[in-house]
Amino acid sequence: MSAIVISALLGVVMMLSGLILKKSTQVQWIAVLGAVLLLAASIFDHQLVVSKGTQSYYGMLELNSYTAWFNVLISFCVMMYILIFRKSIATVGRSDAEYFALIFFVMCGVYLLSTYSNLLILFIGIEVLSIPQYIMAGSDKESLKSNEASLKYFLLGSFSTGILLMGITLLYGATGSFDILSSKFADQFVQVSSLSSLSFIGIILLIVSFGFKASSAPFHLWTPDVYDGTPTAFTPFMATIAKVSIFLAFIRLFHFSFGNVSEAWQFTIAIMIILTLLLGNVTAVYQQSVKRMMAYSSIAQAGFMLFAIFSFNATSWQGIMLYSVTYTLASIGVFAVIIKMKDYTYEGFNGLAKKEPVLALTATICLLSLAGIPLTGGFFAKYFVLSATVEQGKMIWLVVFAVLMAAISAYYYFRVIMSMYFKQGDAEVSIETTSLEKALLIINAAIIILLGILPGLIIL
Amino acid sequence: MLIVLLILVPFLAGLAAMAMPSSKVHIHAIGASVLTLVLGSVCYYYFTHPGMGETTFSYPWIEKLGASFSVAMDDGLTVLMVMLTALAFPLIFISLLNKIPDRPSTFFGLMLMAQAGLMGVFLAKDALLFYLFWEVALIPVYFLSSMYGGPRRIPVTFKFFVYTFVGSLIMLVSMIYIYQQTPIHSFSWSSFVSVGQSLPSNQQNWLFWMMFVAFAIKMPVFPFHTWQPDAYEQSATPVTIVLSALMVKMGLFAVVRWLLPVIPLGSMHWMNIVMLLSIIGVVYASFMALVQTNIKRLIAYSSIAHIGLMCAAIFSHQIIGMQGVAIQMFNHGINILGLWILVSIIEHRLNTQDMREMGGVAKIAPAFTIALVLISLANIALPLTNGFIGEFMMFNGLFNSVSPYRTVFTVVAGLGIILAAVYTLGMIQKVAYGELKTSTSSFKDLSKNEWVVLIIVMFIILWLGFYPSVLMKLVDVNL
């Protein structure tokens, strides 16, 4: 609860700080301080849950051990993101403080989504999460691509919010309650045979809108253009932190409330998984720009996270936690290198290892993690989500399909590694890397490897 | 605790090597690999003299999953493979003393890390740990092969990487499946074996292929072998040694350790198919070897033929065949290591891999020729060389197997031996005999460091050829 309040307040503080503080570096460090404060608040919330058990607020929010821990993890990721990208964020356009304010407003949405127990809060959370992102996408006002990204995202995004609202309305009509923890709500979802058509359609509409926000096929078409057009400083934030919180909202609702009627929606999710993995991975292979490849790869990674929704047990919760953290940190590490490059194509990366050995090494570790190679956190993330499906025992062929897709993903991730290490070339770096940034990137890579050796550190 | 050092020493030495200045790294690498060899020998001594010291180590790793960091050197096959790995690296490093690679810090760092990964694969007694090392051994080799070698090395190595990566991911799914069936959710080898005994046969039939494909790609068994000749040819020869003397043994080792005991019914059910594929591989690869003009490709195909025979012998499900395989895995490693070192000498002196440009060096390089002839003869399993005993036992096992086609298999596989003699002797002839050419007239005989390495290899060949009971004792008690 305190994290939600503080994140909203921080947004206001950041806006004011732009008026008061003259230097951009001061604003940046205020933002870093804010992120640390947010982490502290999340830890405080977590301690509250640990000592006093699940906390409920006015029948609207419920903080249990999983979600409190997720908030801590995601706050840590945001802190890493702001630390690594603070300079790039401040130089996207003219209004540096506002960009940080947007990030904190999105964070407010993230915390709402991870703790909601009421469908109204779900709706508000998604709106609070999305609207600042529309602005972020268009924050480079002079770039046509950025404007296009913003408009596309806004139009399609509001459409999907409409579908979400429709789904919530139908569920309300079927149950007479917005409170997902109330018995009135739960009674409607006891078994498949007694499921009313109203609530069935409601569930499907929710899947559609969650699928849209989480960039799952066939609702993924906005993703490449938006992630590509968005200023590179914001893409990792939108593709990771904002997206994984959608997954938490998704898993929360579907496991707690619709778990008993899984037969009604599991097959739909399975089809989404197949399409997402297939389209995401195969299209990523054909990209010439690393940034666009990362956009498609984020679709493919969403396919793996969908496995956690598909199979609901304790393992899938552990999987989504681990996946959120490792995927976020690894993407941040890769984008931190992309943003330095003059040329985003694969050729632009040729020979980077000789010029910037630290950047190349940290990016390699992050790419190996995204590909799911052991000794990186990405391996255990994939391990847990796939293992959850095997544990459930249904549709094991889906897991085999997924690992084949993971092998395809190795192709495009390794292409970057090949460019950096094995190809001759003169990779041009447009922004110098300070030693502080290098240290941060090394810490980031070290955390990824640490999670690859001891995943037990963050799974509950 | 000592046994953990077998993995830790090369790993940490590899990390240190990457940060070292180029001038000192070679000595550092030799020192670290010799230290590993000493540690391996101590463990070998502990194993052969029970009660002297511990050769197992276990520590909980991810308790929620029931995975532990559990390593053990508790059977003959593991001992042989660990000793082979421990022995190969110092020999490779010493042979490189007069052929220092570019960027030595990277090269030796990655080589030592590959050694750590290989050690882990052979020592792991926990399925998740095994999988981890299985992949981890691959990554340094991927980088080594991509950075050092022929002009087509990058795509060729990537093909190799994708092949093995696909295989191992499918293996991972089958391991997760078996893990879910264990009553207390444990990854330990013993719990896998006890679950494997109780799995119904229809499940074992598909689980078998999910695991076997990974191992078959690594070995490689026909028709999963297409990555191998290219990869051997294009990689720099020291890396090829790691690939062919050690990494392919991972596949055979995994079949014996993780496939036969865990999926016994499946292994019996598919016995004939696997033996058939292996025997096809033996004949096919032998014929391919006959027509090669590139010496590295010739040895690559000869390796496929040898591995095919070993795979067939494993699936004979006969004790004597298995013992033969264990012995042959060690000896093949030693022989092929010697052959590759000779190839690297030729490459270094003549700058070519084409046998048509070689010839006549017997006159000016007698020491080189002696080593070439002896090691080649060991490779075709002449009696009194180390290759003989293992091959004899493997054929014995093959002939006694329960397969209805055992006679055909044995006879056709026997054809492989004859063909091996043809192409190996042909190779000796082309390389060492005939007229001296202008290109070969300045061929220098072995340098001191090359002598040391080849003397050690030849000594092992003859010693184990005359007195194979050292190996027999190891595999006799428990495999």
Side-chain angles (χ1 to χ4, degrees):
Chain A
M1 181 71 177
S2 59
I4 299 175
V5 176
I6 288 177
S7 62
L9 284 177
L10 276 171
V12 181
V13 169
M14 283 316 298
M15 285 202 286
L16 291 175
S17 75
L19 292 176
I20 299 160
L21 299 169
K22 291 280 171 290
K23 274 192 190 158
S24 177
T25 42
Q26 289 169 328
V27 175
Q28 290 168 26
W29 283 107
I30 293 279
V32 171
L33 206 67
V36 175
L37 199 64
L38 219 48
L39 179 63
S42 306
I43 292 173
F44 173 77
D45 284 348
H46 182 245
Q47 286 307 318
L48 202 66
V49 172
V50 168
S51 57
K52 291 190 182 156
T54 303
Q55 298 287 308
S56 178
Y57 301 96
Y58 319 109
M60 290 283 172
L61 302 168
E62 190 216 49
L63 204 60
N64 62 27
S65 56
Y66 276 117
T67 53
W69 184 232
F70 176 84
N71 285 353
V72 173
L73 296 174
I74 207 78
S75 307
F76 176 78
C77 292
V78 168
M79 191 183 77
M80 289 300 286
Y81 164 73
I82 293 182
L83 272 170
I84 292 174
F85 283 90
R86 64 193 160 77
K87 264 191 202 154
S88 326
I89 297 170
T91 49
V92 163
R94 255 171 274 163
S95 33
D96 48 1
E98 275 80 350
Y99 302 137
F100 291 106
L102 290 175
I103 290 173
F104 287 115
F105 284 133
V106 172
M107 285 317 290
C108 183
V110 169
Y111 297 131
L112 283 174
L113 283 180
S114 64
T115 48
Y116 74 94
S117 68
N118 190 301
L119 291 176
L120 288 175
I121 297 288
L122 169 68
F123 175 72
I124 293 172
I126 285 204
E127 283 297 86
V128 172
L129 184 83
S130 301
I131 293 171
Q133 287 191 66
Y134 303 146
I135 307 170
M136 279 180 178
S139 55
D140 187 1
K141 284 184 205 159
E142 272 129 52
S143 153
L144 212 57
K145 255 174 113 181
S146 178
N147 285 325
E148 182 201 332
S150 180
L151 190 65
K152 252 188 193 163
Y153 197 18
F154 173 66
L155 287 178
L156 291 170
S158 34
F159 194 66
S160 91
T161 314
I163 293 175
L164 176 79
L165 207 52
M166 182 85 140
I168 291 175
T169 317
L170 291 181
L171 286 178
Y172 181 73
T175 62
S177 169
F178 283 126
D179 188 352
I180 59 173
L181 298 174
S182 67
S183 57
K184 231 173 157 186
F185 193 84
D187 286 348
Q188 288 295 317
F189 304 102
V190 177
Q191 54 188 15
V192 180
S193 53
S194 65
L195 197 64
S196 65
S197 54
L198 215 54
S199 38
F200 177 71
I201 297 171
I203 290 174
I204 296 295
L205 287 177
L206 281 181
I207 290 180
V208 170
S209 92
F210 275 127
F212 176 89
K213 295 285 180 192
S215 77
S216 318
F219 316 108
H220 67 291
L221 292 164
W222 58 275
T223 320
D225 286 344
V226 170
Y227 286 180
D228 195 21
T230 303
T232 315
F234 292 127
T235 314
F237 183 72
M238 288 162 60
T240 60
I241 294 158
K243 195 153 95 175
V244 296
S245 63
I246 296 282
F247 272 102
L248 201 81
F250 202 163
I251 195 172
R252 198 175 151 82
L253 185 60
F254 277 69
H255 286 199
F256 287 150
S257 302
F258 306 147
N260 292 330
V261 293
S262 62
E263 282 153 53
W265 50 266
Q266 232 176 354
F267 191 68
T268 317
I269 302 275
I271 291 173
M272 275 168 76
I273 290 175
I274 295 173
L275 285 174
T276 311
L277 286 174
L278 194 69
L279 294 172
N281 281 304
V282 173
T283 329
V285 167
Y286 292 101
Q287 300 308 313
Q288 295 308 316
S289 144
V290 177
K291 192 179 173 189
R292 228 178 145 76
M293 178 277 279
M294 285 300 288
Y296 279 102
S297 115
S298 93
I299 298 175
Q301 301 282 352
F304 280 101
M305 283 189 261
L306 278 175
F307 270 100
I309 317 281
F310 175 74
S311 48
F312 45 98
N313 40 41
T315 315
S316 64
W317 276 90
Q318 293 163 350
I320 203 97
M321 297 274 175
L322 202 55
Y323 217 111
S324 304
V325 176
T326 56
Y327 165 65
T328 303
L329 293 181
S331 300
I332 288 175
V334 176
F335 274 104
V337 178
I338 293 179
I339 202 168
K340 305 262 177 220
M341 307 300 296
K342 245 187 196 142
D343 180 4
Y344 289 169
T345 61
Y346 284 100
E347 283 73 35
F349 280 73
N350 284 357
L352 186 71
K354 271 198 193 119
K355 216 167 192 180
E356 293 278 353
V358 175
L359 283 188
L361 182 70
T362 54
T364 302
I365 291 170
C366 293
L367 287 163
L368 290 178
S369 177
L370 287 173
I373 305 283
L375 280 194
T376 61
F379 166 70
F380 276 111
K382 283 202 171 64
Y383 171 84
F384 272 97
V385 291
L386 296 182
S387 178
T389 304
V390 177
E391 189 178 330
Q392 190 197 211
K394 264 189 260 176
M395 297 201 214
I396 293 173
W397 53 268
L398 205 60
V399 178
V400 177
F401 174 76
V403 299
L404 291 178
M405 290 297 133
I408 293 183
S409 80
Y411 174 80
Y412 51 81
Y413 292 130
F414 272 72
R415 234 178 111 189
V416 185
I417 298 178
M418 282 188 233
S419 288
M420 292 190 298
Y421 279 92
F422 313 142
K423 299 243 168 90
Q424 300 297 322
D426 190 35
E428 282 185 76
V429 183
S430 53
I431 311 165
E432 282 303 307
T433 318
T434 61
S435 44
L436 177 66
E437 277 175 314
K438 279 184 188 161
L440 284 168
L441 286 174
I442 290 171
I443 292 172
N444 187 39
I447 295 170
I448 290 174
I449 290 184
L450 185 68
L451 290 177
I453 298 168
L454 296 169
L457 290 175
I458 59 167
I459 52 176
L460 285 177
Chain B
M1 194 62 213
L2 196 66
I3 192 166
V4 183
L5 291 178
L6 281 174
I7 303 168
L8 265 186
V9 166
F11 181 74
L12 295 177
L15 278 185
M18 290 198 177
M20 262 187 199
S22 310
S23 53
K24 286 183 190 146
V25 73
H26 202 145
I27 299 300
H28 162 79
I30 292 176
S33 59
V34 169
L35 177 62
T36 313
L37 179 60
V38 171
L39 287 169
S41 309
V42 174
C43 287
Y44 171 74
Y45 180 76
Y46 285 169
F47 174 76
T48 47
H49 298 77
M52 295 299 289
E54 279 295 314
T55 55
T56 57
F57 177 81
S58 188
Y59 188 79
W61 170 34
I62 309 169
E63 282 177 73
K64 289 185 188 83
L65 293 180
S68 58
F69 186 92
S70 146
V71 287
M73 200 153 118
D74 53 2
D75 56 44
L77 183 64
T78 311
V79 175
L80 283 174
M81 286 299 101
V82 167
M83 287 311 287
L84 180 64
T85 313
L87 195 59
F89 280 86
L91 292 181
I92 298 172
F93 292 156
I94 292 170
S95 82
L96 284 174
L97 271 175
N98 61 342
K99 311 182 259 295
I100 294 166
D102 308 337
R103 283 169 288 161
S105 309
T106 319
F107 179 84
F108 289 110
L110 288 171
M111 284 291 263
L112 287 167
M113 287 197 175
Q115 188 185 20
L118 283 160
M119 285 288 188
V121 169
F122 295 134
L123 289 171
K125 282 280 173 187
D126 180 279
L128 197 62
L129 192 69
F130 167 78
Y131 178 80
L132 202 90
F133 280 121
W134 177 273
E135 292 276 35
V136 165
L138 180 64
I139 299 295
V141 173
Y142 166 75
F143 277 93
L144 279 168
S145 299
S146 299
M147 282 197 248
Y148 301 92
R152 289 191 300 120
R153 63 181 188 273
I154 297 173
V156 161
T157 310
F158 192 61
K159 182 176 168 189
F160 160 62
F161 177 81
V162 169
Y163 258 62
T164 49
F165 190 53
V166 171
S168 43
L169 282 172
I170 295 176
M171 169 179 85
L172 177 66
V173 177
S174 67
M175 280 186 164
I176 296 175
Y177 185 84
I178 298 169
Y179 163 75
Q180 298 291 356
Q181 317 294 320
T182 53
I184 47 158
H185 282 220
S186 155
F187 273 107
S188 74
W189 182 76
S190 47
S191 66
F192 263 51
V193 171
S194 63
V195 162
Q197 313 287 353
S198 59
L199 278 177
S201 64
N202 59 342
Q203 284 184 22
Q204 295 208 11
N205 289 350
W206 58 264
L207 277 172
F208 173 84
W209 281 104
M210 285 177 79
M211 288 181 105
F212 182 69
V213 165
F215 306 150
I217 290 171
K218 207 81 160 194
M219 283 188 232
V221 170
F222 179 87
F224 304 104
H225 67 284
T226 53
W227 61 268
Q228 193 247 34
D230 285 339
Y232 282 17
E233 181 198 340
Q234 291 294 324
S235 301
T237 308
V239 184
T240 316
I241 300 178
V242 177
L243 277 174
S244 71
L246 303 169
M247 281 202 95
V248 298
K249 304 295 185 301
M250 282 164 57
L252 291 163
F253 175 86
V255 170
V256 178
R257 170 72 62 253
W258 292 100
L259 188 62
L260 297 194
V262 177
I263 321 268
L265 293 176
S267 314
M268 282 306 270
H269 186 257
W270 297 108
M271 173 176 74
N272 287 320
I273 304 279
V274 174
M275 281 165 96
L276 177 70
L277 289 176
S278 310
I279 302 290
I280 292 177
V282 171
V283 177
Y284 165 81
S286 301
F287 276 111
M288 288 301 282
L290 276 179
V291 296
Q292 298 302 320
T293 54
N294 183 308
I295 190 165
K296 288 184 87 169
R297 286 188 87 87
L298 186 146
I299 299 176
Y301 278 111
S302 111
S303 184
I304 298 182
H306 280 103
I307 299 286
L309 183 61
M310 290 185 224
C311 184
I314 291 175
F315 281 87
S316 70
H317 293 280
Q318 296 294 309
I319 296 288
I320 189 162
M322 302 279 228
Q323 290 172 339
V325 170
I327 291 173
Q328 186 68 357
M329 275 163 76
F330 181 81
N331 287 329
H332 177 258
I334 293 291
N335 296 344
I336 204 119
L337 171 88
L339 273 181
W340 286 122
I341 285 176
L342 290 167
V343 169
S344 74
I345 291 169
I346 298 173
E347 257 190 308
H348 183 242
R349 306 271 205 281
L350 302 179
N351 249 332
T352 178
Q353 301 172 358
D354 192 336
M355 285 190 289
R356 286 168 299 192
E357 294 171 29
M358 300 170 194
V361 297
K363 289 174 195 139
I364 49 172
F368 171 83
T369 313
I370 291 170
L372 177 69
V373 172
L374 185 75
I375 294 171
S376 303
L377 291 180
N379 197 37
I380 54 177
L382 205 74
L384 292 187
T385 62
N386 61 349
F388 175 70
I389 178 71
E391 200 141 303
F392 176 77
M393 290 166 79
M394 289 196 298
F395 271 101
N396 205 330
L398 209 53
F399 197 62
N400 285 321
S401 75
V402 288
S403 161
Y405 315 108
R406 59 184 181 215
T407 321
V408 186
F409 285 154
T410 315
V411 170
V412 177
L415 194 66
I417 297 194
I418 303 170
L419 289 169
V422 177
Y423 62 73
T424 310
L425 294 175
M427 178 192 78
I428 297 176
Q429 192 191 9
K430 282 179 205 154
V431 172
Y433 296 99
E435 287 302 307
L436 204 59
K437 292 173 185 159
T438 44
S439 57
T440 55
S441 58
S442 58
F443 192 88
K444 281 201 198 74
D445 209 350
L446 302 179
S447 64
K448 267 186 201 139
N449 61 323
E450 291 161 355
W451 246 127
V452 171
V453 173
L454 289 170
I455 286 279
I456 294 173
V457 170
M458 287 192 285
F459 172 74
I460 297 173
I461 287 175
L462 290 175
W463 176 44
L464 296 179
F466 277 93
Y467 188 66
S469 57
V470 186
L471 299 174
M472 299 288 286
K473 259 185 234 155
L474 270 181
V475 296
D476 225 19
V477 194
N478 43 10
L479 192 64

